[in-house]
Amino acid sequence: MSNENPEHSEAGVYRVKGQSFNRDTNYIEDRILDEPGAEWPVEAGRYRLVVARACPWAHRTTIVRRLLGLEDAISMGICGPTHDKLSWTFDLDPDGLDPVLQIPRIRDAYLKRFPDYPRGITVPAIVDVPSGGVVTNNFPQITLDFSTQWTRFHRDGAPDLYPEALRDEMEEVMRPIYTEVNNGVYRCGFAGDQDAYDSAYDRLFAQLDVLEDRLQGQRYLMGDHITEADIRLFTTLVRFDPVYHGHFKANRSKLSEMPALWGYARDLFQTPGFGDTVDFVQIKQHYYIVHTDINPTQIVPKGPDLRNWLTKHGREELGGSPFGDGTPPGPVAKGEEVTEGNGVPVAA
């Protein structure tokens, strides 16, 4: 895939004028494993997850970490919603430095390990705190490893987000969610010409229609309980009306005009671990300020009114429960709360 003209460092986004959108998927594939002799062994307190609340790919990791109760085992650094051509920065922290890594940019952790790192500087990334170098930025594997390799540190009552009996079916469900929906909105927004946009638009809404049909008869993508598949879809759905519908021209329908998907998204949003990780203000700031070729004025829209995220969804009638035999996570860890007013107003 081309790595010309990097637009921003959200899990490797690139566009070449006059062509279809390409995503650089050549990630650092090292894994943190709970097995003897692992180069990067599972070890509480050793690693720091670096995210940006604006980024949908990083958002997956914040949800999974919270649902599984890994806050005490894996610390989290939060970049600001905007960045320059070099990388995401820790501009929300005092003195602009991550308080654990003591660096101003996530780029510094990449260069600490790979001085000539040639690819996109992306979030999420896991950093080895003792060495200060990035271990991995392979976002799809990070969340699966949280579920399968960090089990010793899961909270009591943590859900099984990657059930072994469902994995083959889950992979079939998640594959088009990634190619057609998660990546599809970017394919619309970063299309290099009309034909590329038209094709991306058709593919996106064809898959959303498939998901709309699937969710009419069951509460979650895999049945009665939440799984990794729901998390991967949610992070795109929650950004759809505030950003993708207008900014990326994914405008056949708003999410709120697709009944099953809209009810499903609200059901998840109102589940602990999902809505309490959403920062709508930072999400809008990122897309509308950083993408200057799409939005040269950098004006961030005031709308839409997001209080409808707290309205009744009625999905309980389909049966099931989000956590199965498990329990919901407790309160958000101190210091990781979404800033008051940056999510949905309480008085919905």
Side-chain angles (χ1 to χ4, degrees):
M1 292 198 179
S2 170
N3 65 352
E4 298 176 45
N5 301 330
E7 291 288 345
H8 55 92
S9 39
E10 254 187 29
V13 172
Y14 298 105
R15 177 177 68 167
V16 178
K17 185 176 179 61
Q19 298 180 15
S20 297
F21 161 86
N22 284 317
R23 182 178 298 281
D24 181 355
T25 56
N26 188 1
Y27 302 118
I28 303 168
E29 296 186 356
D30 289 16
R31 294 176 61 190
I32 300 169
L33 300 174
D34 194 17
E35 59 184 41
E39 179 182 5
W40 304 105
V42 166
E43 183 181 326
R46 175 170 175 174
Y47 305 100
R48 187 159 177 82
L49 172 67
V50 176
V51 303
R53 294 195 186 278
C55 171
W57 319 100
H59 193 182
R60 297 180 181 187
T61 64
T62 64
I63 294 172
V64 173
R65 173 178 172 271
R66 175 152 158 64
L67 293 180
L68 298 179
L70 291 172
E71 293 95 333
D72 290 338
I74 307 169
S75 68
M76 186 167 75
I78 303 174
C79 298
T82 61
H83 57 73
D84 56 25
K85 293 181 179 180
L86 292 178
S87 82
W88 298 87
T89 58
F90 294 101
D91 52 291
L92 302 178
D93 291 307
D95 300 320
L97 296 176
D98 178 86
V100 172
L101 301 173
Q102 289 296 300
I103 56 176
R105 303 170 175 276
I106 186 56
R107 178 176 183 264
D108 296 329
Y110 279 80
L111 298 182
K112 181 73 173 181
R113 184 173 176 203
F114 303 106
D116 298 318
Y117 189 73
R119 312 199 71 85
I121 307 294
T122 67
V123 291
I126 295 183
V127 178
D128 175 50
V129 175
S131 68
V134 166
V135 175
T136 180
N137 63 343
N138 188 356
F139 69 92
Q141 191 64 53
I142 288 172
T143 50
L144 296 182
D145 284 345
F146 281 176
S147 285
T148 61
Q149 300 298 314
W150 288 82
T151 54
R152 288 191 287 122
F153 299 101
H154 288 183
R155 65 179 177 85
D156 291 339
D160 185 356
L161 298 175
Y162 195 46
E164 193 164 358
L166 295 178
R167 289 179 188 177
D168 288 345
E169 183 184 358
M170 283 181 67
E171 292 300 329
E172 290 191 11
V173 170
M174 293 190 297
R175 190 175 302 113
I177 286 175
Y178 171 69
T179 61
E180 309 307 299
V181 180
N182 302 147
N183 209 33
V185 290
Y186 285 86
R187 197 180 293 113
C188 287
F190 288 104
D193 58 33
Q194 189 68 48
D195 288 343
Y197 165 75
D198 290 346
S199 174
Y201 176 101
D202 292 342
R203 288 174 60 181
L204 168 64
F205 283 100
Q207 182 59 27
L208 287 175
D209 287 342
V210 169
L211 295 168
E212 174 78 7
D213 184 64
R214 183 182 183 94
L215 289 165
Q216 286 178 6
Q218 59 191 52
R219 189 167 178 184
Y220 304 105
L221 285 171
M222 304 309 301
D224 288 339
H225 315 301
I226 57 172
T227 64
E228 171 88 13
D230 298 297
I231 295 160
R232 293 187 179 194
L233 180 57
F234 174 78
T235 59
T236 294
L237 296 184
V238 80
R239 289 162 173 76
F240 203 90
D241 286 4
V243 175
Y244 302 144
H245 180 270
H247 184 61
F248 278 175
K249 307 179 187 69
N251 60 0
R252 188 201 73 180
S253 312
K254 295 179 180 177
L255 175 65
S256 57
E257 296 167 345
M258 295 179 270
L261 281 165
W262 174 227
Y264 162 82
R266 282 178 292 153
D267 188 2
L268 290 175
F269 185 87
Q270 294 170 33
T271 299
F274 287 83
D276 53 30
T277 65
V278 175
D279 190 317
F280 282 118
V281 169
Q282 290 194 25
I283 287 169
K284 291 200 298 183
Q285 287 175 338
H286 170 72
Y287 287 92
Y288 286 100
I289 293 174
V290 170
H291 300 164
T292 54
D293 62 333
I294 298 176
N295 186 44
T297 64
Q298 297 181 295
I299 293 172
V300 180
K302 293 182 68 174
D305 187 339
L306 299 166
R307 288 175 293 179
N308 55 1
W309 278 94
L310 296 179
T311 58
K312 292 181 179 180
H313 51 75
R315 299 284 293 180
E316 303 93 338
E317 297 177 3
L318 294 171
S321 61
F323 301 106
D325 295 330
T327 58
V332 176
K334 186 177 181 180
E336 295 182 5
E337 306 93 341
V338 173
T339 304
E340 185 175 356
N342 279 23
V344 174
V346 173

PDB file of all heavy atoms in Angstrom, residues 269-300:
ATOM      1  N   PHE A 269     -24.274   2.224  23.974  1.00  0.00           N
ATOM      2  CA  PHE A 269     -23.846   3.491  24.559  1.00  0.00           C
ATOM      3  C   PHE A 269     -24.253   3.581  26.021  1.00  0.00           C
ATOM      4  O   PHE A 269     -23.505   4.114  26.858  1.00  0.00           O
ATOM      5  CB  PHE A 269     -24.447   4.660  23.773  1.00  0.00           C
ATOM      6  CG  PHE A 269     -23.976   6.017  24.216  1.00  0.00           C
ATOM      7  CD1 PHE A 269     -22.824   6.579  23.687  1.00  0.00           C
ATOM      8  CD2 PHE A 269     -24.666   6.737  25.186  1.00  0.00           C
ATOM      9  CE1 PHE A 269     -22.379   7.822  24.103  1.00  0.00           C
ATOM     10  CE2 PHE A 269     -24.226   7.970  25.618  1.00  0.00           C
ATOM     11  CZ  PHE A 269     -23.080   8.521  25.070  1.00  0.00           C
ATOM     12  N   GLN A 270     -25.415   3.070  26.334  1.00  0.00           N
ATOM     13  CA  GLN A 270     -25.936   3.148  27.697  1.00  0.00           C
ATOM     14  C   GLN A 270     -25.444   2.007  28.585  1.00  0.00           C
ATOM     15  O   GLN A 270     -25.836   1.904  29.751  1.00  0.00           O
ATOM     16  CB  GLN A 270     -27.467   3.179  27.639  1.00  0.00           C
ATOM     17  CG  GLN A 270     -27.991   4.446  26.988  1.00  0.00           C
ATOM     18  CD  GLN A 270     -29.485   4.409  26.687  1.00  0.00           C
ATOM     19  OE1 GLN A 270     -30.256   3.800  27.411  1.00  0.00           O
ATOM     20  NE2 GLN A 270     -29.899   5.063  25.609  1.00  0.00           N
ATOM     21  N   THR A 271     -24.555   1.163  28.059  1.00  0.00           N
ATOM     22  CA  THR A 271     -23.938   0.078  28.816  1.00  0.00           C
ATOM     23  C   THR A 271     -22.614   0.555  29.391  1.00  0.00           C
ATOM     24  O   THR A 271     -21.800   1.130  28.662  1.00  0.00           O
ATOM     25  CB  THR A 271     -23.694  -1.143  27.890  1.00  0.00           C
ATOM     26  OG1 THR A 271     -24.946  -1.607  27.376  1.00  0.00           O
ATOM     27  CG2 THR A 271     -23.005  -2.267  28.637  1.00  0.00           C
ATOM     28  N   PRO A 272     -22.362   0.342  30.700  1.00  0.00           N
ATOM     29  CA  PRO A 272     -21.078   0.767  31.272  1.00  0.00           C
ATOM     30  C   PRO A 272     -19.902   0.216  30.475  1.00  0.00           C
ATOM     31  O   PRO A 272     -19.872  -0.942  30.099  1.00  0.00           O
ATOM     32  CB  PRO A 272     -21.121   0.166  32.682  1.00  0.00           C
ATOM     33  CG  PRO A 272     -22.584   0.069  33.004  1.00  0.00           C
ATOM     34  CD  PRO A 272     -23.261  -0.269  31.702  1.00  0.00           C
ATOM     35  N   GLY A 273     -18.943   1.088  30.203  1.00  0.00           N
ATOM     36  CA  GLY A 273     -17.778   0.708  29.420  1.00  0.00           C
ATOM     37  C   GLY A 273     -17.824   1.215  28.000  1.00  0.00           C
ATOM     38  O   GLY A 273     -16.792   1.243  27.318  1.00  0.00           O
ATOM     39  N   PHE A 274     -18.991   1.621  27.538  1.00  0.00           N
ATOM     40  CA  PHE A 274     -19.125   2.130  26.172  1.00  0.00           C
ATOM     41  C   PHE A 274     -19.311   3.648  26.186  1.00  0.00           C
ATOM     42  O   PHE A 274     -18.373   4.394  25.887  1.00  0.00           O
ATOM     43  CB  PHE A 274     -20.295   1.442  25.456  1.00  0.00           C
ATOM     44  CG  PHE A 274     -20.025   0.020  25.060  1.00  0.00           C
ATOM     45  CD1 PHE A 274     -20.186  -1.020  25.966  1.00  0.00           C
ATOM     46  CD2 PHE A 274     -19.614  -0.287  23.775  1.00  0.00           C
ATOM     47  CE1 PHE A 274     -19.929  -2.338  25.599  1.00  0.00           C
ATOM     48  CE2 PHE A 274     -19.350  -1.594  23.388  1.00  0.00           C
ATOM     49  CZ  PHE A 274     -19.512  -2.621  24.306  1.00  0.00           C
ATOM     50  N   GLY A 275     -20.487   4.128  26.546  1.00  0.00           N
ATOM     51  CA  GLY A 275     -20.743   5.560  26.509  1.00  0.00           C
ATOM     52  C   GLY A 275     -19.828   6.362  27.401  1.00  0.00           C
ATOM     53  O   GLY A 275     -19.493   7.518  27.079  1.00  0.00           O
ATOM     54  N   ASP A 276     -19.383   5.771  28.505  1.00  0.00           N
ATOM     55  CA  ASP A 276     -18.519   6.526  29.417  1.00  0.00           C
ATOM     56  C   ASP A 276     -17.087   6.637  28.921  1.00  0.00           C
ATOM     57  O   ASP A 276     -16.232   7.224  29.585  1.00  0.00           O
ATOM     58  CB  ASP A 276     -18.567   5.943  30.833  1.00  0.00           C
ATOM     59  CG  ASP A 276     -18.282   4.451  30.898  1.00  0.00           C
ATOM     60  OD1 ASP A 276     -17.525   3.952  30.045  1.00  0.00           O
ATOM     61  OD2 ASP A 276     -18.817   3.774  31.804  1.00  0.00           O
ATOM     62  N   THR A 277     -16.804   6.091  27.744  1.00  0.00           N
ATOM     63  CA  THR A 277     -15.499   6.281  27.102  1.00  0.00           C
ATOM     64  C   THR A 277     -15.583   7.208  25.895  1.00  0.00           C
ATOM     65  O   THR A 277     -14.577   7.431  25.224  1.00  0.00           O
ATOM     66  CB  THR A 277     -14.917   4.923  26.640  1.00  0.00           C
ATOM     67  OG1 THR A 277     -15.759   4.372  25.620  1.00  0.00           O
ATOM     68  CG2 THR A 277     -14.808   3.939  27.790  1.00  0.00           C
ATOM     69  N   VAL A 278     -16.765   7.726  25.600  1.00  0.00           N
ATOM     70  CA  VAL A 278     -16.988   8.546  24.402  1.00  0.00           C
ATOM     71  C   VAL A 278     -16.822  10.025  24.735  1.00  0.00           C
ATOM     72  O   VAL A 278     -17.461  10.534  25.654  1.00  0.00           O
ATOM     73  CB  VAL A 278     -18.394   8.298  23.815  1.00  0.00           C
ATOM     74  CG1 VAL A 278     -18.657   9.252  22.640  1.00  0.00           C
ATOM     75  CG2 VAL A 278     -18.551   6.853  23.372  1.00  0.00           C
ATOM     76  N   ASP A 279     -16.000  10.705  23.977  1.00  0.00           N
ATOM     77  CA  ASP A 279     -15.818  12.148  24.116  1.00  0.00           C
ATOM     78  C   ASP A 279     -16.180  12.791  22.781  1.00  0.00           C
ATOM     79  O   ASP A 279     -15.356  12.880  21.869  1.00  0.00           O
ATOM     80  CB  ASP A 279     -14.370  12.465  24.493  1.00  0.00           C
ATOM     81  CG  ASP A 279     -14.164  13.916  24.899  1.00  0.00           C
ATOM     82  OD1 ASP A 279     -14.727  14.802  24.216  1.00  0.00           O
ATOM     83  OD2 ASP A 279     -13.441  14.167  25.878  1.00  0.00           O
ATOM     84  N   PHE A 280     -17.432  13.218  22.662  1.00  0.00           N
ATOM     85  CA  PHE A 280     -17.904  13.761  21.396  1.00  0.00           C
ATOM     86  C   PHE A 280     -17.191  15.050  21.014  1.00  0.00           C
ATOM     87  O   PHE A 280     -16.980  15.318  19.828  1.00  0.00           O
ATOM     88  CB  PHE A 280     -19.416  14.014  21.455  1.00  0.00           C
ATOM     89  CG  PHE A 280     -20.256  12.776  21.303  1.00  0.00           C
ATOM     90  CD1 PHE A 280     -21.107  12.363  22.320  1.00  0.00           C
ATOM     91  CD2 PHE A 280     -20.223  12.033  20.128  1.00  0.00           C
ATOM     92  CE1 PHE A 280     -21.899  11.244  22.167  1.00  0.00           C
ATOM     93  CE2 PHE A 280     -21.010  10.906  19.970  1.00  0.00           C
ATOM     94  CZ  PHE A 280     -21.856  10.502  20.996  1.00  0.00           C
ATOM     95  N   VAL A 281     -16.822  15.850  21.993  1.00  0.00           N
ATOM     96  CA  VAL A 281     -16.133  17.105  21.690  1.00  0.00           C
ATOM     97  C   VAL A 281     -14.782  16.816  21.040  1.00  0.00           C
ATOM     98  O   VAL A 281     -14.437  17.383  19.994  1.00  0.00           O
ATOM     99  CB  VAL A 281     -15.966  17.957  22.963  1.00  0.00           C
ATOM    100  CG1 VAL A 281     -15.022  19.135  22.696  1.00  0.00           C
ATOM    101  CG2 VAL A 281     -17.325  18.460  23.434  1.00  0.00           C
ATOM    102  N   GLN A 282     -14.002  15.920  21.627  1.00  0.00           N
ATOM    103  CA  GLN A 282     -12.703  15.598  21.044  1.00  0.00           C
ATOM    104  C   GLN A 282     -12.842  14.897  19.695  1.00  0.00           C
ATOM    105  O   GLN A 282     -12.023  15.113  18.786  1.00  0.00           O
ATOM    106  CB  GLN A 282     -11.886  14.740  22.017  1.00  0.00           C
ATOM    107  CG  GLN A 282     -11.430  15.510  23.241  1.00  0.00           C
ATOM    108  CD  GLN A 282     -10.357  14.786  24.022  1.00  0.00           C
ATOM    109  OE1 GLN A 282      -9.620  13.971  23.482  1.00  0.00           O
ATOM    110  NE2 GLN A 282     -10.262  15.084  25.312  1.00  0.00           N
ATOM    111  N   ILE A 283     -13.854  14.057  19.562  1.00  0.00           N
ATOM    112  CA  ILE A 283     -14.076  13.388  18.275  1.00  0.00           C
ATOM    113  C   ILE A 283     -14.278  14.427  17.177  1.00  0.00           C
ATOM    114  O   ILE A 283     -13.630  14.387  16.125  1.00  0.00           O
ATOM    115  CB  ILE A 283     -15.286  12.435  18.374  1.00  0.00           C
ATOM    116  CG1 ILE A 283     -14.926  11.190  19.197  1.00  0.00           C
ATOM    117  CG2 ILE A 283     -15.768  12.023  16.978  1.00  0.00           C
ATOM    118  CD1 ILE A 283     -16.114  10.326  19.570  1.00  0.00           C
ATOM    119  N   LYS A 284     -15.164  15.379  17.396  1.00  0.00           N
ATOM    120  CA  LYS A 284     -15.437  16.380  16.364  1.00  0.00           C
ATOM    121  C   LYS A 284     -14.230  17.287  16.132  1.00  0.00           C
ATOM    122  O   LYS A 284     -13.907  17.628  14.989  1.00  0.00           O
ATOM    123  CB  LYS A 284     -16.673  17.199  16.736  1.00  0.00           C
ATOM    124  CG  LYS A 284     -17.970  16.385  16.680  1.00  0.00           C
ATOM    125  CD  LYS A 284     -19.208  17.254  16.562  1.00  0.00           C
ATOM    126  CE  LYS A 284     -19.390  18.166  17.719  1.00  0.00           C
ATOM    127  NZ  LYS A 284     -20.645  18.964  17.622  1.00  0.00           N
ATOM    128  N   GLN A 285     -13.550  17.650  17.202  1.00  0.00           N
ATOM    129  CA  GLN A 285     -12.367  18.496  17.035  1.00  0.00           C
ATOM    130  C   GLN A 285     -11.332  17.814  16.149  1.00  0.00           C
ATOM    131  O   GLN A 285     -10.742  18.449  15.268  1.00  0.00           O
ATOM    132  CB  GLN A 285     -11.760  18.815  18.401  1.00  0.00           C
ATOM    133  CG  GLN A 285     -12.557  19.812  19.213  1.00  0.00           C
ATOM    134  CD  GLN A 285     -11.983  19.998  20.605  1.00  0.00           C
ATOM    135  OE1 GLN A 285     -11.267  19.133  21.126  1.00  0.00           O
ATOM    136  NE2 GLN A 285     -12.304  21.119  21.230  1.00  0.00           N
ATOM    137  N   HIS A 286     -11.107  16.553  16.382  1.00  0.00           N
ATOM    138  CA  HIS A 286     -10.087  15.854  15.596  1.00  0.00           C
ATOM    139  C   HIS A 286     -10.399  15.909  14.110  1.00  0.00           C
ATOM    140  O   HIS A 286      -9.594  16.372  13.308  1.00  0.00           O
ATOM    141  CB  HIS A 286      -9.956  14.404  16.045  1.00  0.00           C
ATOM    142  CG  HIS A 286      -9.094  13.598  15.123  1.00  0.00           C
ATOM    143  ND1 HIS A 286      -7.729  13.770  15.062  1.00  0.00           N
ATOM    144  CD2 HIS A 286      -9.397  12.675  14.184  1.00  0.00           C
ATOM    145  CE1 HIS A 286      -7.229  12.966  14.143  1.00  0.00           C
ATOM    146  NE2 HIS A 286      -8.214  12.292  13.589  1.00  0.00           N
ATOM    147  N   TYR A 287     -11.546  15.398  13.726  1.00  0.00           N
ATOM    148  CA  TYR A 287     -11.838  15.267  12.304  1.00  0.00           C
ATOM    149  C   TYR A 287     -11.932  16.627  11.612  1.00  0.00           C
ATOM    150  O   TYR A 287     -11.390  16.822  10.527  1.00  0.00           O
ATOM    151  CB  TYR A 287     -13.137  14.494  12.106  1.00  0.00           C
ATOM    152  CG  TYR A 287     -13.014  13.016  12.384  1.00  0.00           C
ATOM    153  CD1 TYR A 287     -13.292  12.496  13.643  1.00  0.00           C
ATOM    154  CD2 TYR A 287     -12.618  12.130  11.381  1.00  0.00           C
ATOM    155  CE1 TYR A 287     -13.193  11.134  13.900  1.00  0.00           C
ATOM    156  CE2 TYR A 287     -12.514  10.770  11.621  1.00  0.00           C
ATOM    157  CZ  TYR A 287     -12.795  10.277  12.880  1.00  0.00           C
ATOM    158  OH  TYR A 287     -12.682   8.935  13.138  1.00  0.00           O
ATOM    159  N   TYR A 288     -12.626  17.566  12.226  1.00  0.00           N
ATOM    160  CA  TYR A 288     -12.880  18.836  11.545  1.00  0.00           C
ATOM    161  C   TYR A 288     -11.679  19.782  11.577  1.00  0.00           C
ATOM    162  O   TYR A 288     -11.559  20.659  10.719  1.00  0.00           O
ATOM    163  CB  TYR A 288     -14.116  19.517  12.143  1.00  0.00           C
ATOM    164  CG  TYR A 288     -15.408  18.855  11.719  1.00  0.00           C
ATOM    165  CD1 TYR A 288     -16.071  17.971  12.557  1.00  0.00           C
ATOM    166  CD2 TYR A 288     -15.956  19.101  10.461  1.00  0.00           C
ATOM    167  CE1 TYR A 288     -17.249  17.358  12.168  1.00  0.00           C
ATOM    168  CE2 TYR A 288     -17.135  18.503  10.052  1.00  0.00           C
ATOM    169  CZ  TYR A 288     -17.772  17.623  10.909  1.00  0.00           C
ATOM    170  OH  TYR A 288     -18.938  17.014  10.511  1.00  0.00           O
ATOM    171  N   ILE A 289     -10.770  19.613  12.538  1.00  0.00           N
ATOM    172  CA  ILE A 289      -9.602  20.482  12.604  1.00  0.00           C
ATOM    173  C   ILE A 289      -8.416  19.882  11.867  1.00  0.00           C
ATOM    174  O   ILE A 289      -7.688  20.583  11.163  1.00  0.00           O
ATOM    175  CB  ILE A 289      -9.234  20.781  14.074  1.00  0.00           C
ATOM    176  CG1 ILE A 289     -10.338  21.633  14.720  1.00  0.00           C
ATOM    177  CG2 ILE A 289      -7.885  21.489  14.174  1.00  0.00           C
ATOM    178  CD1 ILE A 289     -10.150  21.861  16.218  1.00  0.00           C
ATOM    179  N   VAL A 290      -8.204  18.580  11.990  1.00  0.00           N
ATOM    180  CA  VAL A 290      -7.019  17.949  11.402  1.00  0.00           C
ATOM    181  C   VAL A 290      -7.138  17.792   9.893  1.00  0.00           C
ATOM    182  O   VAL A 290      -6.166  17.976   9.157  1.00  0.00           O
ATOM    183  CB  VAL A 290      -6.746  16.585  12.080  1.00  0.00           C
ATOM    184  CG1 VAL A 290      -5.667  15.807  11.331  1.00  0.00           C
ATOM    185  CG2 VAL A 290      -6.325  16.796  13.530  1.00  0.00           C
ATOM    186  N   HIS A 291      -8.326  17.458   9.401  1.00  0.00           N
ATOM    187  CA  HIS A 291      -8.497  17.187   7.964  1.00  0.00           C
ATOM    188  C   HIS A 291      -8.714  18.490   7.201  1.00  0.00           C
ATOM    189  O   HIS A 291      -9.810  18.794   6.723  1.00  0.00           O
ATOM    190  CB  HIS A 291      -9.687  16.260   7.726  1.00  0.00           C
ATOM    191  CG  HIS A 291      -9.557  14.929   8.391  1.00  0.00           C
ATOM    192  ND1 HIS A 291     -10.629  14.086   8.579  1.00  0.00           N
ATOM    193  CD2 HIS A 291      -8.487  14.294   8.913  1.00  0.00           C
ATOM    194  CE1 HIS A 291     -10.218  12.988   9.188  1.00  0.00           C
ATOM    195  NE2 HIS A 291      -8.924  13.091   9.397  1.00  0.00           N
ATOM    196  N   THR A 292      -7.665  19.262   7.054  1.00  0.00           N
ATOM    197  CA  THR A 292      -7.810  20.583   6.461  1.00  0.00           C
ATOM    198  C   THR A 292      -8.108  20.539   4.964  1.00  0.00           C
ATOM    199  O   THR A 292      -8.635  21.514   4.415  1.00  0.00           O
ATOM    200  CB  THR A 292      -6.547  21.422   6.701  1.00  0.00           C
ATOM    201  OG1 THR A 292      -5.401  20.688   6.226  1.00  0.00           O
ATOM    202  CG2 THR A 292      -6.379  21.730   8.174  1.00  0.00           C
ATOM    203  N   ASP A 293      -7.776  19.436   4.268  1.00  0.00           N
ATOM    204  CA  ASP A 293      -8.114  19.383   2.853  1.00  0.00           C
ATOM    205  C   ASP A 293      -9.605  19.152   2.660  1.00  0.00           C
ATOM    206  O   ASP A 293     -10.197  19.617   1.677  1.00  0.00           O
ATOM    207  CB  ASP A 293      -7.302  18.307   2.119  1.00  0.00           C
ATOM    208  CG  ASP A 293      -7.559  16.912   2.635  1.00  0.00           C
ATOM    209  OD1 ASP A 293      -7.934  16.781   3.817  1.00  0.00           O
ATOM    210  OD2 ASP A 293      -7.388  15.955   1.865  1.00  0.00           O
ATOM    211  N   ILE A 294     -10.242  18.464   3.617  1.00  0.00           N
ATOM    212  CA  ILE A 294     -11.691  18.261   3.554  1.00  0.00           C
ATOM    213  C   ILE A 294     -12.418  19.456   4.152  1.00  0.00           C
ATOM    214  O   ILE A 294     -13.471  19.875   3.656  1.00  0.00           O
ATOM    215  CB  ILE A 294     -12.088  16.972   4.314  1.00  0.00           C
ATOM    216  CG1 ILE A 294     -11.435  15.741   3.673  1.00  0.00           C
ATOM    217  CG2 ILE A 294     -13.603  16.796   4.337  1.00  0.00           C
ATOM    218  CD1 ILE A 294     -11.716  14.451   4.431  1.00  0.00           C
ATOM    219  N   ASN A 295     -11.868  20.039   5.208  1.00  0.00           N
ATOM    220  CA  ASN A 295     -12.506  21.143   5.921  1.00  0.00           C
ATOM    221  C   ASN A 295     -11.482  22.264   6.135  1.00  0.00           C
ATOM    222  O   ASN A 295     -10.973  22.456   7.232  1.00  0.00           O
ATOM    223  CB  ASN A 295     -13.054  20.642   7.271  1.00  0.00           C
ATOM    224  CG  ASN A 295     -13.846  21.694   8.012  1.00  0.00           C
ATOM    225  OD1 ASN A 295     -14.657  22.399   7.426  1.00  0.00           O
ATOM    226  ND2 ASN A 295     -13.629  21.797   9.319  1.00  0.00           N
ATOM    227  N   PRO A 296     -11.149  23.010   5.080  1.00  0.00           N
ATOM    228  CA  PRO A 296     -10.055  23.991   5.170  1.00  0.00           C
ATOM    229  C   PRO A 296     -10.285  25.096   6.189  1.00  0.00           C
ATOM    230  O   PRO A 296      -9.320  25.678   6.683  1.00  0.00           O
ATOM    231  CB  PRO A 296      -9.960  24.547   3.742  1.00  0.00           C
ATOM    232  CG  PRO A 296     -11.253  24.210   3.091  1.00  0.00           C
ATOM    233  CD  PRO A 296     -11.725  22.939   3.717  1.00  0.00           C
ATOM    234  N   THR A 297     -11.533  25.397   6.519  1.00  0.00           N
ATOM    235  CA  THR A 297     -11.785  26.458   7.503  1.00  0.00           C
ATOM    236  C   THR A 297     -11.544  25.985   8.927  1.00  0.00           C
ATOM    237  O   THR A 297     -11.444  26.804   9.840  1.00  0.00           O
ATOM    238  CB  THR A 297     -13.235  26.953   7.407  1.00  0.00           C
ATOM    239  OG1 THR A 297     -14.127  25.884   7.765  1.00  0.00           O
ATOM    240  CG2 THR A 297     -13.557  27.459   6.003  1.00  0.00           C
ATOM    241  N   GLN A 298     -11.499  24.676   9.132  1.00  0.00           N
ATOM    242  CA  GLN A 298     -11.330  24.065  10.457  1.00  0.00           C
ATOM    243  C   GLN A 298     -12.456  24.433  11.426  1.00  0.00           C
ATOM    244  O   GLN A 298     -12.304  24.327  12.642  1.00  0.00           O
ATOM    245  CB  GLN A 298      -9.975  24.425  11.064  1.00  0.00           C
ATOM    246  CG  GLN A 298      -8.779  23.911  10.255  1.00  0.00           C
ATOM    247  CD  GLN A 298      -7.453  24.258  10.879  1.00  0.00           C
ATOM    248  OE1 GLN A 298      -7.104  25.436  10.981  1.00  0.00           O
ATOM    249  NE2 GLN A 298      -6.715  23.257  11.310  1.00  0.00           N
ATOM    250  N   ILE A 299     -13.577  24.846  10.889  1.00  0.00           N
ATOM    251  CA  ILE A 299     -14.740  25.138  11.732  1.00  0.00           C
ATOM    252  C   ILE A 299     -15.339  23.824  12.216  1.00  0.00           C
ATOM    253  O   ILE A 299     -15.609  22.919  11.427  1.00  0.00           O
ATOM    254  CB  ILE A 299     -15.786  25.956  10.965  1.00  0.00           C
ATOM    255  CG1 ILE A 299     -15.238  27.347  10.643  1.00  0.00           C
ATOM    256  CG2 ILE A 299     -17.093  26.051  11.752  1.00  0.00           C
ATOM    257  CD1 ILE A 299     -16.116  28.156   9.716  1.00  0.00           C
ATOM    258  N   VAL A 300     -15.538  23.721  13.526  1.00  0.00           N
ATOM    259  CA  VAL A 300     -16.133  22.530  14.121  1.00  0.00           C
ATOM    260  C   VAL A 300     -17.634  22.780  14.296  1.00  0.00           C
ATOM    261  O   VAL A 300     -18.019  23.740  14.962  1.00  0.00           O
ATOM    262  CB  VAL A 300     -15.487  22.210  15.485  1.00  0.00           C
ATOM    263  CG1 VAL A 300     -16.123  20.961  16.099  1.00  0.00           C
ATOM    264  CG2 VAL A 300     -13.984  22.036  15.333  1.00  0.00           C
TER     265      VAL A 300
END
